[in-house]
Amino acid sequence: MISRSLDDHMPSSSTSPHPLQRNLAPHLHPFQKPREYARALTAVKMDRMFAKPFVDALGGHQDGVYCLGKDSRRVGVVAGGGGDGEVIVHSLTLRRPLLKIPHAHKGMVGGICWTSESHDGQRGMITAGKLDGTIKIWRSEAFAPGIRDKELFQGSEFASGFGSAGHQQHLDQAGAIGENGLDMDVDFDEEEEGGGLNLDFAKRDKLGENLEPKMVYTNKNGLNGIDHHRTDSVFATASNTVQIWDENRSAALSNLQFGSSLETVNQVKFNQSETNVLASVGNDRTMCLYDIRTGKAERRIVMQFVSNDISWCPTLPTTMLLASEDHNLYTFDIRNLNSPSQIYKGHVGGVMGCDWSPTGEEFVSGSYDRTVRLWNRESGKSRDVYHTKRMQRVFDVTYTPTADFVLSASDDGNVRIWKSNASKKLGVVSSKERQAIEHRQKLVERYSAEKGVRSIKDRRHVPQSIHNATKLKRDMIESRKVKEDRRREHSRKGREKPKAERKKAVIVEQK
Amino acid sequence: MARGSQPFSSSTSSGTKKSKPIKGSKAKRRQDPSNAYTYIPALPKRHRTSAAQLSVSKDELELAGPSRRGNDDSDDEDEDMQSRIKKVAMMIADDENTGEIESDESDIDSDEAWQSDGSDEERWGDVFRELDKGKGKKGKSKAKEVVRKPAKPLTVNLDESDEESVSKSKGKGKKAVKAPSSVEDDEEDEEISDGDGDGDGELDEDDDDEEMSEGREDNEEEEEEDEDEDSEAELPSDLSEDEEDPENLDGLDAFVNSLVSADKKRKANGEEKLEEVKKRRVLPVVSGPGLKDNGDLALKNNQKLDLSSLISSHPSLSGASALLPTKSDNKKSTSILKQGLVSAPLPTVVQERLDREAAYEKTREEGQKWAGVMKRVKEAEHLSFPLQPEQRGGVKGTNEILSGFKPSNKLESAVTALLNKANLTEDSLTKREDLALEAQEMTLEEIKERRDALRYQRELMFRAEAKAKRVAKIKSKTFRKLARKRAAKENPGMDLEDLERLDPEAAAEEREKLERDRARERATLRHGAKTGRWARDIGGDNAELEDRRRAKEEMLNMKEKLQRKIMGIDEGSDSSSDEDEESEEDEEMIRSRAFDQLAALDAKNVADQEARGKAGKGLMQMAFMKKAEEREMKKVAETEAELRRDIEMFGEERGTEDEDDEEEEDERPSMLRVGGNEGRMVFSGPQRTSTVQDDETPQPAQSKRPSVFSKPREPTPPIEESLPDHNPWLSSTSSAGPSRKRNALVGSANAKAEDKTTRSLKKAVKGKEAELDDEKVEISLEANTASTSSSNKKGKNKKATQPTNGDVSDSEDENEELLPISGKGIKAFQQRDLVAQAFAGDNVVEEFAREKEKQVEMDAPKVEDTSLPGWGAWGGKGAKKKKHVNPKFLVKTAGIEPTQRKDFSRSNVIITEKKDKKASQFLLQDLPYPYTSKEQYERSFNNPVGSEWNSRSAFQKGTLPRVVKKPGAIIEPVRRMF
């Protein structure tokens, strides 16, 4: 007699999945490990097959792009500063410039950052000139189309209870609203005054040419870097000292320097969680820590090589990343500065820029060797390497605030968009597919120690020049090591001890 | 107080007299604002000035004290004091650090000046009292003010120096320092409360003289007010003010005089100092009654004065004294002078470094606070972004939105304007409500009651709303239907007729709707179908129902039975329905066969007799023999009849037994579980005593039976117990069918019926014997053992066969069957021979050993001598053969030592030591990173990830990536939550 209950076959609710009609007894599914291994192998091959990281190149610059300014409060906007003083605000979703400011500075642009709030619907962008030593604050609706709309419809509601938080609310939304293709049509029709999303290039160019900075500060020395405080209207610049400025004042609030040293500061960055702490890297191979509350330099380390860029981890507030000229990247914990907590090796040229992923688990670096590398925080070898034939020396890289994409600015005058996960499928993914992808990822992760899987997973084809340089570098390091070993062998015992690589990086920690 | 004060009264008066002209001039100077200006331009830098002032004021004070007691008996002491003070003054003048000067000064004040002062005042007490009488004039009070002023700079200066050297935050400390030293506690307090406004105004002389003078004038004007205020709101000393005011005034006069004398002395010191004094006199502005009060107290006490004593003097404030800093503290902070010279400040470089270190420590501490968060982030198995809850999250209530509403566009502002005009704003409404409430003149209780009732109502409403929401979400159709019905029942509503009367249009609509419904019902035939609910409710014809009921019952029974079986409660009889049926069939057949056999026997007997009868003569033909035979025959017939009956009865009994089974638990004597498996059991039938029990059977065919059954029928232990284990795999080979019937057959002593079983038994026994006897010969006899064990499972069979292994086994050979004892040995030999024949020349074990040896040898490391004999050696006669071969001709081949082999101690296996190339590609050289041991790594593969091996939830959980984020959402850096 066969008796079946419908309860066993129907889902318990409309949203729950159908009940499983399968015997899970392990003896009915033999060869677990071999089967999973085979699947892992397939998965890793698929992963490589679908690895197409390059999304697009954003052109428009007349000269190389030497700095990027990411608007951390909006999804799809980035500004690129050119070698000829031109600043272009790109829209990543439209993949075209929103605004071009042709003569923002005389000479190279040293750095770009965005203000923490907007004023009357105008997002503020701060640019610093490397040669002319000026800082300019630009405000235009074209930077953040959609903010004004937001304010009209929702602004009052959000602004009511929370004061300044309201501002941030529409900033967060503005990126999504103004630039995801949905609202685009509306904007096309309406053709709002002063830029927006209209595709009238001539108009846009005219707007850019006529745009006047809302505020101009002058400095004696050229500015190599600029960064904005996370919440306050304060920003810091890097020239021969670190200077703190207020958006509403005409002179620098304070000069921060370590002792009386006057080195050229390459880059300065605010901590995102301990918002008053900032760090700079300078030409004297130094990294220096400051606090704007005490207004003092706090500690400085001198390293073997000069560092070009610095970035603070967004989830681990005491961790910072240095992009060094010695082809390596270093993470430091500010609580213990006498040695780096991890060294990341892989580039074969000086590392020009670095940026943490907003998740804090990964970061990206761009190098003079014309490659962009992606790294896991935990491992010293790069997870992936991106390059194209046309991409020249990379001078700045940045993660988008959603952690989905990586942007690189290079010598060739393009800002390139890369996927942060090379084989990730863009667009909507059904839950079934997502599950399959996750399953594959898990399998690869589990079997990645195995040779067959690992070799496929780690293999990357790099341009010949980089391949050769890697080999050459390896040989050189190897021979150096051999030499050192020999020397040690022939010296008195215990006299020359091998020094850990991490201990070599920092020469001295200055108090 | 009165002690020895009289002698000096005259001197005091003279002192006052002396000072009078000066005082007059002073007052004049003070009154003239231009005078003040004249001094100020001459002032050096503010910094310096203050220092000088300080020193001067201190000097003055110091000098004032001694001067006042200049005519004291202890002149020596005075001189001593003066010299000391001068020294100090010199030191202070040298010293540039104003802050320190300040403290010096106060120190001295506290230590010496006021002590002497106190004694001074003690002495002048009478004079004060005398002067007291002349109190009440305005002029006097003016004088008092004038007098009081010189004491003022003390506090003012302190203030200034503080501002210059120390940050304002140290005001407290300053206060503490001053408290015991200065007489003017109250004034001081006042000053502090006044803040910088007054003090700064006065002290910014360098900057703006006019301002200063103005401030001064202002203050003078305010003085009286201040006094009034003070008397009302100041310290408890104020309370005594009223009584002792006159005394105070006198005392102050005296004090002023002494100061004037001090001034005189100081004038000799130089122009600058003079100027300072003047300036100092100019400065004091802030007024208050404090001075006199405290002075008064000090006069009385003849002790050092401090705030605590002041406070404790009043009962209401006695508790507050505990809050004050202790004396020792004050001492400590004020005694820098005693420690000697202050060391020079550190070089800026060093100072900066120290600052940096301190700042870094601070930052590090801040960083350390993140340690917990960071640890959690690092160690998290899964990170789901955003990590922290949204800062401005949450859905706002209507109230919140309304309260924060601001018109943002024209329309909104117009509407608000209108509302405002109509006085319909939220505020005005509430106000009006309040007014209305007030108008009702409700008592407090009433209001409370009302509010409670309102609250209760609101609560009810809220609940109802929540319930309605919940109910609205239910999607079930049946629920809806039921709900509709219930609603209809509860709220029958209006009849159509009623509706017609009230609203004909609606009624028409309603009717139309009803019509439509009916039509639809007809069309869908829902009402007529037998399957409809109605039909079901009414019920079909009875027979059908009965059938259904029976079927249901049957099903239930079956289910119960099966369940019982699964639980292991049931008996052999109902092991399974199929088997039962089968066995029933068998039974029928076997029974009929048994009857046939009996009939055949009868026929045979009859034939025999006939044959014998025909034979005629012999022993058998003799009468007694015939008789005996007849008896025998009768007996046989009897037994036969019995047997027949038994066979017939057995069938019936079995039927009844089946039903009884459940009750008669003891009737299941040898139910056994096989291999610990509940589902699989072996049953022996109920122990039925055979009807054939007598040993003496004349029939040769039956003669062996008695031997079988003559043995006492004690229940023998089942063989299974002696067997090592049950092989669950053998269940399939077991000869099917329940055993009871066969037992009966055995009992029936019918050879043919028994044949089947015996044959299988025979085989089994054979196998077993072979196993037992021929242990050396390793042959797989699995089939036989299997059958053995399976057949052994039948309890009755066991009993029957065990004692008669040999004879039962050979039913085909009658002779052998008759020789039960000798049969066993022969059989064993036969079996062994057979096996030996079958596997002749099959030396498996030896072969295996040989093979293994060969393998071991092959794998062992070898040294091969490749040298050619004769080469490289001497030949010919007498040549010796080389003992050692040149090692270069010895070719060594690596291998594994026999003792190192994995199978060294296992004779039954050969484990190859060769490298498995196919497997080796999966072996790892190093342990992967997070793992610390091989076992740990291997364990990580224990749980497969695939959906074949996991439930859905486990699969999802197992494949969840470490970082999960919302697509397209901005990930913010972590915010500070502590």
Side-chain angles (χ1 to χ4, degrees), chain B residues 131-148:
Chain B
L131 285 167
D132 217 359
K133 291 160 191 167
K135 200 220 160 187
K137 292 174 196 169
K138 265 281 166 188
K140 273 271 173 177
S141 68
K142 271 270 186 231
K144 178 194 89 185
E145 281 164 30
V146 173
V147 166
R148 229 170 40 205

Side-chain angles (χ1 to χ4, degrees), chain B residues 592-663:
Chain B
S592 61
R593 227 183 290 160
F595 282 126
D596 288 351
Q597 280 168 349
L598 279 173
L601 272 175
D602 278 0
K604 202 187 169 190
N605 276 349
V606 171
D608 273 1
Q609 271 173 357
E610 276 171 10
R612 253 180 251 145
K614 276 176 195 167
K617 282 188 177 176
L619 186 64
M620 294 310 245
Q621 297 302 88
M622 284 159 83
F624 71 96
M625 286 297 272
K626 272 184 184 171
K627 258 184 197 169
E629 201 174 290
E630 232 172 32
R631 234 180 8 244
E632 288 285 340
M633 287 303 286
K634 215 182 260 175
K635 253 186 194 171
V636 168
E638 263 175 36
T639 44
E640 191 190 326
E642 222 165 27
L643 182 65
R644 270 174 203 279
R645 209 174 52 231
D646 267 12
I647 289 171
E648 271 162 1
M649 250 173 65
F650 175 75
E652 287 160 22
E653 256 182 27
R654 193 188 154 275
T656 52
E657 240 177 15
D658 268 359
E659 283 141 34
D660 292 349
D661 267 343
E662 280 149 26
E663 286 97 61

Side-chain angles (χ1 to χ4, degrees), chain A residues 190-337:
Chain A
E190 288 177 2
E191 283 283 323
E192 54 181 288
E193 238 177 285
L197 294 168
N198 47 6
L199 281 177
D200 188 348
F201 293 121
K203 207 170 181 181
R204 182 194 67 199
D205 291 347
K206 208 175 127 198
L207 175 76
E209 268 166 36
N210 296 333
L211 190 67
E212 287 297 320
K214 287 272 148 50
M215 191 87 150
V216 180
Y217 309 86
T218 47
N219 195 33
K220 269 184 231 161
N221 302 313
L223 300 154
N224 301 320
I226 188 166
D227 193 34
H228 202 279
H229 193 273
R230 186 179 174 193
T231 52
D232 300 351
S233 61
V234 170
F235 59 92
T237 57
S239 55
N240 59 349
T241 58
V242 170
Q243 285 171 303
I244 308 294
W245 308 76
D246 192 306
E247 282 173 34
N248 307 315
R249 298 207 192 175
S250 54
L253 291 183
S254 60
N255 275 1
L256 304 176
Q257 62 191 96
F258 190 90
S260 56
S261 78
L262 281 175
E263 58 171 347
T264 305
V265 182
N266 287 336
Q267 186 59 273
V268 62
K269 284 278 163 72
F270 272 102
N271 193 328
Q272 295 299 297
S273 304
E274 278 298 327
T275 46
N276 292 315
V277 174
L278 62 161
S280 74
V281 285
N283 245 354
D284 284 356
R285 302 169 290 153
T286 58
M287 191 287 301
C288 191
L289 207 63
Y290 311 88
D291 192 323
I292 53 171
R293 285 168 300 190
T294 54
K296 281 196 168 58
E298 295 187 338
R299 190 148 291 203
R300 188 163 78 162
I301 53 171
V302 181
M303 299 176 69
Q304 293 281 4
F305 277 85
V306 67
S307 298
N308 291 318
D309 202 359
I310 189 171
S311 178
W312 290 94
C313 182
T315 55
L316 310 175
T318 64
T319 304
M320 67 170 126
L321 177 72
L322 299 188
S324 177
E325 193 65 39
D326 63 357
H327 310 181
N328 297 340
L329 290 115
Y330 299 89
T331 46
F332 279 93
D333 192 310
I334 56 168
R335 293 169 293 171
N336 178 22
L337 287 170

Side-chain angles (χ1 to χ4, degrees), chain B residues 331-540:
Chain B
K331 275 265 167 66
K332 223 186 208 172
S333 59
T334 54
S335 61
I336 294 170
L337 188 77
K338 280 177 186 168
Q339 289 167 9
L341 285 172
V342 180
S343 60
L346 289 166
T348 28
V349 182
V350 180
Q351 187 59 47
E352 272 187 2
R353 196 179 64 212
L354 290 175
D355 287 350
R356 280 198 300 262
E357 267 179 58
Y360 176 66
E361 279 309 313
K362 208 78 199 153
T363 304
R364 203 161 155 181
E365 270 172 36
E366 297 279 292
Q368 193 56 41
K369 283 179 190 165
W370 286 98
V373 176
M374 296 200 296
K375 190 163 180 277
R376 257 177 286 141
V377 167
K378 274 182 185 168
E379 290 175 357
E381 264 183 55
H382 302 289
L383 288 172
S384 155
F385 288 93
L387 282 180
Q388 289 162 316
E390 281 290 306
Q391 202 164 21
R392 38 179 190 285
V395 181
K396 285 186 193 172
T398 42
N399 272 342
E400 240 179 309
I401 294 168
L402 279 178
S403 63
F405 178 77
K406 270 172 211 158
S408 57
N409 55 20
K410 271 183 191 171
L411 177 67
E412 278 173 359
S413 49
V415 168
T416 10
L418 277 176
L419 283 174
N420 281 334
K421 226 179 200 177
N423 214 12
L424 281 172
T425 56
E426 193 77 0
D427 292 340
S428 63
L429 280 177
T430 45
K431 221 175 258 174
R432 229 182 293 161
E433 275 169 8
D434 287 345
L435 281 174
L437 268 179
E438 270 177 33
Q440 281 182 344
E441 289 185 60
M442 292 165 95
T443 62
L444 202 66
E445 280 99 51
E446 274 173 336
I447 290 171
K448 206 178 169 191
E449 227 168 73
R450 206 185 133 110
R451 206 190 293 147
D452 281 348
L454 276 173
R455 192 180 296 149
Y456 181 64
Q457 249 175 7
R458 220 177 298 136
E459 176 73 22
L460 282 180
M461 272 164 70
F462 172 73
R463 282 191 188 168
E465 204 178 328
K467 196 187 172 189
K469 249 184 209 170
R470 185 167 54 77
V471 168
K473 271 186 189 167
I474 298 173
K475 282 175 185 161
S476 161
K477 274 182 188 168
T478 42
F479 174 82
R480 289 270 156 255
K481 214 179 271 174
L482 285 173
R484 226 179 293 135
K485 268 186 191 169
R486 207 181 304 133
K489 208 180 272 176
E490 277 172 10
N491 207 3
M494 286 182 288
D495 250 350
L496 206 60
E497 279 97 78
D498 291 343
L499 198 67
E500 182 103 49
R501 239 180 296 134
L502 291 170
D503 187 1
E505 220 167 283
E509 226 167 77
E510 184 76 5
R511 201 168 292 131
E512 198 188 323
K513 196 184 151 209
L514 282 173
E515 281 301 315
R516 205 180 294 128
D517 281 352
R518 206 167 297 143
R520 191 178 293 135
E521 205 179 46
R522 289 238 179 80
T524 52
L525 289 176
R526 270 176 69 185
H527 61 290
K530 260 188 184 172
T531 52
R533 186 172 217 164
W534 180 84
R536 244 184 292 144
D537 285 347
I538 297 299

Side-chain angles (χ1 to χ4, degrees), chain B residues 55-56 59 89 266 269-278:
Chain B
S55 62
V56 165
D59 264 5
R266 224 175 0 85
N269 281 352
E271 191 65 51
E272 196 185 86
K273 277 192 177 175
L274 186 79
E275 277 173 10
E276 247 100 62
V277 174
K278 281 171 186 166

Side-chain angles (χ1 to χ4, degrees), chain A residues 18 22 29 36 39 157 160 169 172 273-274 297-298 314 318 334-335 361 401 435 442 446 450 511, chain B residues 356 360 363-364 370 374 392 396 404 921 943 945-949 952 956 958 962 971 974 976:
Chain A
H18 278 266
R22 194 178 340 119
H29 305 282
E36 294 223 309
R39 279 179 199 174
E157 185 189 328
S160 59
Q169 175 65 35
D172 289 354
S273 304
E274 278 298 327
E298 295 187 338
T318 64
I334 56 168
R335 293 169 293 171
E361 297 294 302
Q435 239 166 47
K442 187 74 188 176
R446 177 172 281 196
E450 199 279 324
K511 288 174 181 174
Chain B
R356 280 198 300 262
Y360 176 66
T363 304
R364 203 161 155 181
W370 286 98
M374 296 200 296
R392 38 179 190 285
K396 285 186 193 172
Q921 64 173 330
N943 297 327
V945 281
S947 54
E948 288 95 336
W949 297 276
R952 195 194 307 275
Q956 278 170 2
R962 181 174 141 78
I971 300 170
V974 290
R976 209 191 168 101

Side-chain angles (χ1 to χ4, degrees), chain B residues 135-207:
Chain B
K135 200 220 160 187
K137 292 174 196 169
K138 265 281 166 188
K140 273 271 173 177
S141 68
K142 271 270 186 231
K144 178 194 89 185
E145 281 164 30
V146 173
V147 166
R148 229 170 40 205
K149 290 216 161 123
K152 277 268 9 182
L154 183 65
T155 52
V156 173
N157 283 339
L158 275 169
D159 258 3
E160 190 184 19
S161 56
D162 264 340
E163 276 158 8
E164 280 173 5
S165 60
V166 199
S167 72
K168 270 180 194 170
S169 63
K170 286 179 182 168
K172 277 242 162 137
K174 172 187 77 183
K175 207 170 169 183
V177 169
K178 275 194 278 178
S181 61
S182 74
V183 199
E184 314 163 307
D185 272 334
D186 300 356
E187 280 194 9
E188 198 181 298
D189 285 350
E190 200 180 295
E191 252 185 38
I192 288 158
S193 64
D194 275 1
D196 301 330
D198 278 1
D200 281 347
E202 291 157 41
L203 294 162
D204 283 350
E205 293 149 328
D206 329 48
D207 304 328

